[in-house]
Amino acid sequence: MSDDSRQDHPDEHTRTSAPATFNNWERETLERLVFATVREQRAARRWSIFFKLSFLVLAFFAIWAYFDFNFSGTDADAMGRHTALIEIDGAIDTEGSGSADSVIPSLDKAFADPGSAAVILRIDSPGGSPVQAGIIVDEMLRMKKLYPNKPLYVVVDEICASGGYYIAAAADKIYVNKASIVGSVGVLMDGFGFTGLMDKLGVERRLLTAGENKGFLDPFSPQTEKQKQHALSMLSEIHQQFIAVVRAGRGKRLKETPEIFSGLYWTGAKAVEMGLADGFGTVDTVARDVVKAEDIIDYTAHEGLPERVLKKFGASVGAGAVHSIYKGAVPALR
């Protein structure tokens, strides 16, 4: 075979392999385009499903909230003679079931309902704000005057102390469990002082005020005797308001001793002996045996769905933190 013939063979291989290489590149490119298109379609379907599900969830919440807000009182409207129940569970504060904004509308609705034979206020609270407790007591007294034939009872669960008892004292009668914690008729104002620690660390407090006592109870400044006496005077004034409510509410049933207004608390059994409570009972037994209306309807102003959802996902954490930081030291019935 000649050299020319041998040299032709590589050229033929080059001519035949070039189209194959081109075809492979074209096929790979097409495959990439197809796969990219498929991925985009899948992503689009996933986002479409996500948005549809989100819309359904929001619609479900909206419908639930509508029924929660607008039909909460239908059972009470349809029921005949019954015992109305309102619950205070937790601290007496500006938020929650122990706030005046929550309790007062419930009281008004329970008393105004012609089917309610009596109102039971079930309390499980260690105390809290004297302002909120005082507002609730004022409304309780107003309702008792408007509806003199409709008794108002308090049933104590685990604890009814300080601000909780402040409210309870305004009821016609108080029922407890033998082991309930009752009393703590006193007021406190607490806080911290960091001046000693700051001196050790060499930290200087630079507080500028217009007014001699504007930095009153600032934890980073020394407490003067004048400021201390002023705080004690305020606490004493609020304490006397508390005592007046207890004396007015309990009347001759109260067996006064020097310790009864000292801030101590007692078991439910001891509270009955001292006249701080009237007897033993639960919501069910009081409704059945005292009111003679076993059917119980809850008038407690429960949180609506949007509030519950927001709190569950922590939407109110920031506001709560800011409130707790700037609220400062205030008198408390606890």
Side-chain angles (χ1 to χ4, degrees):
M1 183 179 291
S2 64
D3 294 337
D4 294 338
S5 63
R6 284 195 300 271
Q7 291 175 357
D8 292 341
H9 182 69
D11 295 337
E12 291 177 359
H13 177 72
T14 301
R15 287 193 299 272
T16 57
S17 61
T21 301
F22 176 78
N23 289 336
N24 289 336
W25 175 84
E26 185 180 41
R27 183 167 53 254
E28 290 176 358
T29 302
L30 290 173
E31 288 176 352
R32 291 193 188 99
L33 291 173
V34 171
F35 288 147
T37 303
V38 171
R39 284 195 297 269
E40 289 179 359
Q41 291 175 347
R42 288 176 178 174
R45 283 198 298 270
R46 284 195 294 267
W47 279 110
S48 176
I49 293 171
F50 170 77
F51 285 119
K52 288 177 181 178
L53 289 175
S54 299
F55 175 79
L56 289 175
V57 170
L58 291 174
F60 173 74
F61 281 166
I63 294 172
W64 191 0
Y66 175 77
F67 281 95
D68 193 27
F69 289 146
N70 294 285
F71 295 97
S72 58
T74 53
D75 290 340
D77 296 335
M79 185 70 72
R81 188 175 184 275
H82 60 273
T83 298
L85 172 66
I86 301 169
E87 297 187 337
I88 295 179
D89 190 2
I92 311 299
D93 206 344
T94 55
E95 298 178 356
S97 64
S99 68
D101 287 343
S102 176
V103 176
I104 288 177
S106 301
L107 279 172
D108 294 347
K109 187 174 181 180
F111 272 99
D113 193 318
S116 63
V119 178
I120 292 179
L121 194 58
R122 189 190 72 84
I123 299 179
D124 186 4
S125 173
S129 166
V131 175
Q132 295 295 308
I135 295 172
I136 294 171
V137 165
D138 290 343
E139 186 65 12
M140 292 168 65
L141 298 176
R142 190 178 77 89
M143 288 293 102
K144 288 170 64 176
K145 287 183 179 180
L146 285 176
Y147 303 91
N149 297 322
K150 191 169 293 190
L152 172 60
Y153 302 126
V154 161
V155 172
V156 177
D157 200 344
E158 298 287 339
I159 182 171
C160 182
S162 265
Y165 190 75
Y166 192 116
I167 295 171
D172 293 311
K173 287 188 177 180
I174 302 173
Y175 295 91
V176 299
N177 182 274
K178 293 179 180 179
S180 298
I181 300 300
V182 181
S184 188
V185 182
V187 190
L188 62 79
M189 180 185 293
D190 57 357
F192 295 93
F194 300 97
T195 53
L197 178 62
M198 292 169 62
D199 291 339
K200 292 180 180 180
L201 296 176
V203 179
E204 179 186 0
R205 170 64 163 165
R206 296 175 179 175
L207 176 65
L208 304 177
T209 65
E212 178 185 354
N213 296 298
K214 188 59 180 178
F216 178 50
L217 293 180
D218 173 52
F220 303 104
S221 301
Q223 184 183 54
T224 67
E225 185 61 27
K226 180 180 177 181
Q227 292 174 345
K228 179 180 177 181
Q229 292 304 318
H230 181 72
L232 291 174
S233 176
M234 287 196 304
L235 294 179
S236 178
E237 182 180 351
I238 297 172
H239 190 204
Q240 291 303 315
Q241 295 170 2
F242 193 172
I243 293 172
V245 169
V246 174
R247 283 176 172 162
R250 302 305 298 165
K252 295 181 179 180
R253 292 170 292 181
L254 188 66
K255 299 177 178 63
E256 283 198 33
T257 66
E259 292 185 336
I260 205 164
F261 300 131
S262 68
L264 290 177
Y265 46 83
W266 297 270
T267 64
K270 188 66 175 177
V272 172
E273 292 180 14
M274 301 172 66
L276 291 168
D278 297 283
F280 307 116
T282 65
V283 170
D284 291 328
T285 61
V286 171
R288 182 187 66 233
D289 302 331
V290 180
V291 183
K292 307 298 183 182
E294 293 188 49
D295 293 326
I296 300 170
I297 295 181
D298 189 355
Y299 287 78
T300 307
H302 298 287
E303 288 180 330
L305 180 70
E307 288 83 0
R308 293 197 296 269
V309 172
L310 288 174
K311 286 187 177 181
K312 183 177 180 181
F313 289 98
S316 62
V317 172
V322 172
H323 175 73
S324 64
I325 290 172
Y326 287 100
K327 190 175 181 180
V330 296
L333 301 176
R334 56 180 172 81

